[in-house]
Amino acid sequence: MKATGLQGVVSTFREIKSRAESQWQELRNSGKPVIMVGAATCGRAAGALEVLRAIRDEVKKQNLDCSLVEVGCIGHCYAEPVVIISKPGYPPICYGHVNPVIAERLIREFILGDDPCLDFVLGALEENDLIPSFSDFPRAKFERKVILKNCGHIDPEQINHYIANGGYTALVKALQMPPEAVINEVGRSGLRGRGGAGFPTGQKWEICRNAPGSPKYVICNGDEGDPGAFMDRAILESDPHSVVEGMIIAGYAIGARYGYIYVRAEYPLAVHRVQVALRQARKLNLMGKNILGGDFSFDIRLFQGSGAFVCGEETALIASLEGEPGTPHYRPPYPATNGLYGKPTLINNVKSLTYMRHIIDNGAGWFTTTGTERTKGTAVFALAGKIVNTGLVEVPMGTTLRQVIFDVGSGIQKGKRFKAVQIGGPSGGCLPESALDLPVDFDSLSGAGAMMGSGGMIVLDEDDCMVEIARYFLDFTQRESCGKCTFCRLGTKQMLEVLDEITKGQGRIEDIDMLSQLAEDIKAGSLCGLGKTAPNPVLSTLRHFRDEYEAHIKEGRCPALMCRDLIAYYIIPEKCERSCDACVGTCTVEAISTNKKRIKVIDQEKCVKCGTCLNACPPQYNAVVKLSPPSEVPASK
Amino acid sequence: MTKEQVEVKQQTKRILNRFGRKKGNLVPILQKVQGKLGYLSREAMVEIAEFLGIPEMAVYSVVTFYNQFRLNPPGKHSIRVCLGTACHMKGGYITLDAWKRRLGINRGQTTPDWEFDLDTVACVGCCVMAPVTVVYDKPQGKVEPTKVDGILLSFKLEKERQAEESQ
């Protein structure tokens, strides 16, 4: 009986796959040009929808026959909006910084004419003799795309695109294996949870499978609350089916019947795409009752998180699924044995689940060939801040921070000097230049006072104040603390007040010791990860940038010229050009006036220190400067 | 009970009909009701508590715990200034000040003419476009004080255009 059931599963899937492949072939090889527009949230913020509209209008106007596809995020976010054009006779070409005008030109000159508009080209997707391809970029040597492979190359709202690119074969393969063998495979791969803590995934699955109680649940933790991280958003928006497939495999392995995808409500596009993906998977019976006609049934629901950072913590996440305020509980018992409604519950991060299809498809042995001794596979980072190539990168574990920031990310914007990299969000820390040669994995980063976290990486340059960033994170954790543990609730507030005073130049030198003491107490007196790690941004900046704290306290000076109470804007009279009044026009509070000699002067009383004048002053004059302490400003005559 | 309150109650009831009576549905119900009515009024919360058979206090504690829920009506256009790490380091706090100055309100408030409401959001994940402001569901990148003025101007022009058309 069993064998015929499984054979049925395989043959049903074969039909689905061949339909998907023919649809994909029709798109790729029909002889029609294919235009893909990257329309994930970051692309949309840069104007991708306007570009899409311009292309659609122009195609209609010129009466062209070509396919227009909305894709996800290709990872080159610095160049958004991104458009990929595949025209027969040419390699697929990726264009960056496209606006509606450029889009129209691309249609007229490349699609209609035969000029590939080399001015706007970012790179070709395949090697060729005409245009440098992405694989020729120096960064390609360090990158290795596994879970980001589909992102930006398929339409996330077309399940057939996913299936034609190898999707759901891992599920079918897993269904033919005993559940224990699936867990064994995941265990042997050495995959460690990508949510931040790095717990071995296979072990978690095994505990959950062996735990008594039913029904069991699988939860995908997509509550990416770390400010500055967007890897999970990009995956959910660009390749949602890979997460769904991972969850179904997990459900099969641990013997679960239901799953929840928990996505933040702040990610409306991700929510929408997951909803579409679930509907499509259910329609093809890849999910739901008796999957593909076999014995296994599994269904997934979407749950929207309501904007509480602490809900990224698994027990708090479960509380919010149960309709309670998201306050964490003491562990053990862990959710793997006592989770949702007291039942065994497997909670995995988005990225951990996305790896599943690759591990099952290619085998554990393949997975272990990448990475370091203790951390296998690849690491996905969201690069942001003062780095040239902001965006999503995937590199093998063990790549050094220097390679990620300088080789893949092309270094610091505007030729400024690197100061620090903030890794791991509010739970992580700031690492200075001396730590740049650390290999990226779970153990070495926590050794240096940061942590892997989920993968947000904010690069800071000489203009960023380290006291201010510590203050920023404490302001965040203080507001997001659920209030259950006294030390977290009151301690973070105390630390924030002390840091506030330091950034205002009212700190005392004893405050530094008080901060360290408070940090230890908060760590010891908090139940969950939020409180236990909340002091990390302060501790790591104190460890590596103590001199900046001292400059604020002793000299009332902000060395990075960032803290607004400690700086003043000033126009150097000798540099100010009489005939120019760019600053006067842009000042948002009308604080700049022209004196008798037609030199511009800032009224310090009115100035709100927004920096608009500094940006407006033409570079050939460069007359606006920031001074710290504010008493440096010469008295006006 | 005023006419509006009766209306709120009826709309809430209509939404509730689509849900099962289990507590796990509380957050999704609140999201749907707020999505429809713009905020969670006292009447709506009482109705929800009754439907789920839980104390009114349990609903209120969930509503006040999560950042997403609001207890007062929003303005016509919602302005959400992102204060994620990248946005903050690139001057999101300066942008927030500019919005406050121009709208004359603090975060969490609505302008007296109900045109705008201002709030912050932890991170919308568009860190590469920092500093970001979400204007009525659409994230806009590189919003600095001058762009704040530009966005407000475009709202003003749009309003004038609509006024002209309706004449």
Side-chain angles (χ1 to χ4, degrees):
Chain A
M1 272 306 283
K2 188 109 185 160
T4 50
L6 274 178
Q7 271 162 16
V9 168
V10 174
S11 63
T12 315
F13 183 70
R14 203 178 294 134
E15 280 166 36
I16 292 175
K17 193 171 167 72
S18 80
R19 269 202 304 275
E21 274 170 349
S22 58
Q23 192 195 329
W24 180 252
Q25 286 309 324
E26 206 181 292
L27 176 73
R28 306 299 323 188
N29 301 336
S30 61
K32 278 195 284 188
V34 181
I35 306 167
M36 291 179 161
V37 180
T41 305
C42 43
R44 291 178 177 210
L49 292 184
E50 287 77 13
V51 168
L52 195 67
R53 205 173 309 129
I55 295 179
R56 200 171 281 139
D57 290 348
E58 191 63 25
V59 165
K60 211 167 154 194
K61 202 165 107 194
Q62 307 285 358
N63 204 9
L64 292 169
D65 187 19
C66 53
S67 319
L68 189 54
V69 185
E70 225 180 288
V71 294
C73 177
I74 187 177
H76 294 272
C77 304
Y78 59 92
E80 297 280 10
V82 168
V83 172
I84 301 172
I85 299 183
S86 317
K87 185 180 172 177
Y90 291 91
I93 305 172
C94 180
Y95 297 89
H97 304 289
V98 180
N99 58 34
V101 180
I102 298 179
E104 281 171 28
R105 266 189 70 180
L106 289 175
I107 302 297
R108 281 200 306 270
E109 290 171 25
F110 184 32
I111 306 275
L112 206 60
D114 246 336
D115 170 14
C117 300
L118 295 176
D119 287 356
F120 312 121
V121 167
L122 208 57
L125 300 183
E126 289 162 11
E127 289 199 33
N128 65 89
D129 301 330
L130 184 68
I131 294 163
S133 72
F134 282 126
S135 54
D136 297 329
F137 281 29
R139 62 184 279 181
K141 201 168 87 193
F142 301 95
E143 285 182 289
R144 184 153 192 272
K145 294 208 171 184
V146 176
I147 57 174
L148 296 185
K149 206 171 172 196
N150 276 341
C151 296
H153 299 289
I154 60 169
D155 184 342
E157 296 189 19
Q158 294 278 353
I159 191 171
N160 282 346
H161 285 200
Y162 177 71
I163 294 173
N165 282 281
Y168 288 107
T169 50
L171 171 65
V172 175
K173 187 171 169 190
L175 290 177
Q176 296 171 73
M177 294 158 71
E180 293 80 6
V182 176
I183 294 180
N184 191 20
E185 199 69 23
V186 175
R188 280 197 308 118
S189 76
L191 177 70
R192 292 171 68 177
R194 295 298 198 253
F199 188 80
T201 306
Q203 206 177 323
K204 203 190 241 183
W205 286 28
E206 199 171 337
I207 295 169
C208 204
R209 172 157 188 93
N210 295 334
S214 124
K216 292 177 182 174
Y217 297 97
V218 176
I219 298 175
C220 168
N221 184 348
D223 191 51
E224 189 175 46
D226 278 16
F230 51 91
M231 307 73 52
D232 296 353
R233 172 186 67 70
I235 293 172
L236 290 168
E237 284 176 4
S238 312
D239 196 14
H241 282 287
S242 62
V243 185
V244 173
E245 184 177 2
M247 281 183 80
I248 305 172
I249 295 172
Y252 174 72
I254 66 160
R257 173 72 179 80
Y258 299 103
Y260 287 94
I261 296 192
Y262 192 102
V263 186
R264 306 170 72 204
E266 287 92 332
Y267 289 171
L269 186 63
V271 166
H272 167 74
R273 296 223 162 125
V274 168
Q275 267 164 343
V276 172
L278 292 178
R279 209 162 43 226
Q280 291 173 339
R282 211 172 279 132
K283 202 171 163 206
L284 289 184
N285 197 217
L286 289 160
M287 185 177 91
K289 212 160 183 275
N290 297 95
I291 290 176
L292 295 170
D295 302 328
F296 176 59
S297 301
F298 187 74
D299 204 82
I300 302 173
R301 278 209 185 157
L302 174 85
F303 190 93
Q304 292 188 47
S306 314
F309 173 63
V310 69
C311 287
E313 201 278 343
E314 50 185 13
T315 57
L317 187 151
I318 288 174
S320 85
L321 273 174
E322 291 173 348
E324 305 278 345
T327 46
H329 296 276
Y330 183 75
R331 300 182 303 177
Y334 286 90
T337 54
N338 296 67
L340 187 61
Y341 305 117
K343 304 293 181 194
T345 304
L346 176 74
I347 303 191
N348 275 143
N349 173 266
V350 170
K351 284 166 282 178
S352 314
L353 289 166
T354 311
Y355 279 111
M356 285 316 144
R357 57 175 286 225
H358 301 284
I359 291 174
I360 300 298
D361 255 342
N362 304 315
W366 164 85
F367 190 74
T368 55
T369 54
T370 329
T372 60
E373 183 61 37
R374 298 199 49 208
T375 312
K376 299 294 177 201
T378 55
V380 178
F381 288 108
L383 297 181
K386 309 285 177 71
I387 190 165
V388 176
N389 292 345
T390 51
L392 271 188
V393 299
E394 185 169 11
V395 293
M397 288 281 183
T399 310
T400 65
L401 286 171
R402 190 184 298 280
Q403 287 165 336
V404 174
I405 295 167
F406 287 91
D407 292 314
V408 180
S410 297
I412 310 299
Q413 288 174 358
K414 297 177 189 160
K416 300 260 181 177
R417 209 160 42 84
F418 172 88
K419 185 186 259 180
V421 53
Q422 208 287 335
I423 306 176
S427 314
C430 291
L431 297 177
E433 181 141 28
S434 60
L436 278 183
D437 290 309
L438 281 176
V440 167
D441 67 16
F442 289 105
D443 310 302
S444 65
L445 288 184
S446 28
M451 69 179 249
M452 182 90 170
S454 56
M457 212 185 247
I458 312 278
V459 177
L460 305 172
D461 70 7
E462 50 191 294
D463 295 339
D464 293 318
C465 172
M466 304 315 280
V467 186
E468 170 56 27
I469 193 162
R471 193 203 63 78
Y472 162 78
F473 279 119
L474 258 293
D475 181 41
F476 179 80
T477 38
Q478 180 269 129
R479 253 182 296 134
E480 292 294 336
S481 168
C482 77
K484 185 168 183 165
C485 308
T486 315
F487 281 89
C488 177
R489 183 179 69 240
L490 299 179
T492 52
K493 178 111 184 126
Q494 280 300 321
M495 284 182 93
L496 174 63
E497 279 171 13
V498 172
L499 289 164
D500 262 338
E501 283 180 1
I502 295 179
T503 54
K504 288 189 173 134
Q506 296 159 357
R508 297 161 307 159
I509 200 73
E510 310 90 83
D511 287 345
I512 295 185
D513 290 331
M514 181 152 80
L515 283 175
S516 321
Q517 183 59 49
L518 272 169
E520 293 312 320
D521 294 344
I522 295 170
K523 280 186 167 201
S526 301
L527 200 57
C528 82
L530 190 150
K532 279 194 208 305
T533 59
N536 280 354
V538 179
L539 289 175
S540 71
T541 47
L542 266 177
R543 182 166 148 192
H544 299 295
F545 301 95
R546 198 185 172 96
D547 54 327
E548 289 201 21
Y549 281 83
E550 290 175 353
H552 282 76
I553 295 171
K554 289 186 188 159
E555 303 164 40
R557 180 173 68 89
C558 175
L561 303 172
M562 184 175 183
C563 296
R564 277 197 286 180
D565 290 292
L566 301 182
I567 59 164
Y569 284 84
Y570 176 61
I571 300 175
I572 302 171
E574 293 76 31
K575 287 191 173 181
C576 182
E577 166 61 46
R578 280 159 217 268
S579 62
C580 158
D581 59 359
C583 55
V584 180
T586 52
C587 179
T588 50
V589 290
E590 290 165 19
I592 306 180
S593 56
T594 311
N595 70 11
K596 281 180 202 148
K597 294 179 196 159
R598 300 193 63 197
I599 300 295
K600 271 59 72 184
V601 183
I602 299 175
D603 181 345
Q604 299 294 339
E605 294 288 307
K606 281 191 192 167
C607 177
V608 292
K609 299 170 185 177
C610 67
T612 310
C613 52
L614 192 134
N615 291 336
C617 186
Q620 62 269 37
Y621 310 136
N622 236 348
V624 184
V625 289
K626 290 192 264 186
L627 299 174
S628 179
S631 56
E632 293 279 299
V633 174
S636 56
K637 283 162 223 151
Chain B
M1 209 179 273
T2 65
K3 219 174 113 192
E4 286 90 46
Q5 285 169 332
V6 175
E7 176 70 8
V8 164
K9 261 183 158 343
Q10 281 171 348
Q11 291 203 331
T12 310
K13 273 192 181 137
R14 246 175 289 168
I15 293 168
L16 287 170
N17 283 338
R18 288 187 263 154
F19 286 93
R21 289 176 192 262
K22 64 170 194 186
K23 201 181 171 190
N25 283 337
L26 177 56
V27 173
I29 288 174
L30 293 171
Q31 285 166 338
K32 270 272 172 336
V33 172
Q34 177 165 306
K36 181 84 190 166
L37 301 174
Y39 74 112
L40 295 162
S41 65
R42 188 194 166 88
E43 292 72 36
M45 286 191 281
V46 169
E47 202 61 46
I48 294 166
E50 199 178 300
F51 176 79
L52 292 175
I54 55 175
E56 290 165 15
M57 198 275 297
V59 176
Y60 186 72
S61 78
V62 168
V63 169
T64 48
F65 183 86
Y66 295 101
N67 295 325
Q68 189 190 8
F69 301 123
R70 54 183 303 146
L71 295 164
N72 48 6
K76 218 163 98 193
H77 309 289
S78 78
I79 308 288
R80 299 277 172 278
V81 183
C82 181
L83 288 184
T85 319
C87 288
H88 181 78
M89 295 321 271
K90 288 200 163 180
Y93 59 102
I94 293 174
T95 306
L96 177 62
D97 273 358
W99 282 112
K100 282 186 191 168
R101 204 164 43 235
R102 289 295 185 247
L103 297 175
I105 51 173
N106 259 318
R107 63 157 93 154
Q109 296 181 337
T110 308
T111 52
D113 60 359
W114 299 102
E115 279 290 312
F116 296 97
D117 66 84
L118 179 66
D119 215 333
T120 57
V121 55
C123 181
V124 290
C126 296
C127 311
V128 300
M129 301 304 298
V132 171
T133 296
V134 185
V135 181
Y136 198 64
D137 281 357
K138 186 179 181 298
Q140 303 221 10
K142 308 212 161 78
V143 183
E144 285 164 358
T146 43
K147 193 160 172 187
V148 168
D149 292 348
I151 293 171
L152 285 173
L153 182 67
S154 64
F155 274 124
K156 198 175 144 215
L157 293 176
E158 177 65 22
K159 208 178 162 189
E160 283 172 9
R161 196 184 59 80
Q162 282 177 356
E164 247 168 55
E165 268 175 20
S166 66
Q167 266 171 15

